[in-house]
Amino acid sequence: MAALALLIVGGMALVNAIMSEPDKKGPATGASPSGDGGRTTPSSNETTTSPTAPLPLVIRVTGQPTTVVVRVADAGGKVLANSTLNTGDTLQFKEAPLQVVALNGGSLQVAIYGRVQPREPNGQRAQWLVKAR
């Protein structure tokens, strides 16, 4: 019974997060510009990957600053990132499954397991799902 209640509450929280504006609190994780080679990995659950294995998710802001929310795509829905990213910022994630929502999908270049995703329309909300391998 408790598991069902957690599943329902988690699902409702996920739907609310996707359908509403993100909190204006400080970012859950910082992002550093990719120009200096700095990259942020918001996950504290580091997984071992070989040097040639592509990461599950890499987000680069190539257009205007935009708000990005990244959650673990499970019943818990842990928020890994919820911040406004600036032009040039890069986020990398070493875990999956993930759900990504951006207020302006056209500002981002999203690579899932090394494959750059089709560009989303500028100015429109966009979503991506990164499945576990």
Side-chain angles (χ1 to χ4, degrees):
M1 187 67 137
L4 180 59
L6 281 173
L7 183 61
I8 292 171
V9 170
M12 290 173 52
L14 183 60
V15 168
N16 287 339
I18 292 170
M19 301 309 251
S20 65
E21 292 293 321
D23 294 340
K24 296 297 179 187
K25 297 178 189 174
T29 60
S32 40
S34 60
D36 65 2
R39 292 195 170 104
T40 301
T41 304
S43 171
S44 60
N45 298 349
E46 300 281 331
T47 58
T48 305
T49 58
S50 71
T52 58
L55 294 171
L57 177 64
V58 178
I59 300 170
R60 288 186 183 89
V61 183
T62 58
Q64 298 174 345
T66 188
T67 300
V68 176
V69 178
V70 180
R71 294 180 179 268
V72 176
D74 65 9
K78 178 182 172 187
V79 176
L80 301 178
N82 182 3
S83 61
T84 299
L85 302 178
N86 295 309
T87 305
D89 285 351
T90 298
L91 291 180
Q92 294 184 344
F93 297 87
K94 294 182 177 180
E95 64 184 89
L98 299 171
Q99 182 177 30
V100 181
V101 177
L103 291 183
N104 182 358
S107 288
L108 302 180
Q109 178 187 51
V110 176
I112 298 175
Y113 293 107
R115 297 188 71 187
V116 176
Q117 302 301 297
R119 181 73 72 178
E120 297 293 327
N122 195 33
Q124 293 184 11
R125 175 182 229 123
Q127 297 184 75
W128 296 268
L129 179 63
V130 181
K131 296 179 181 179
R133 282 194 167 173

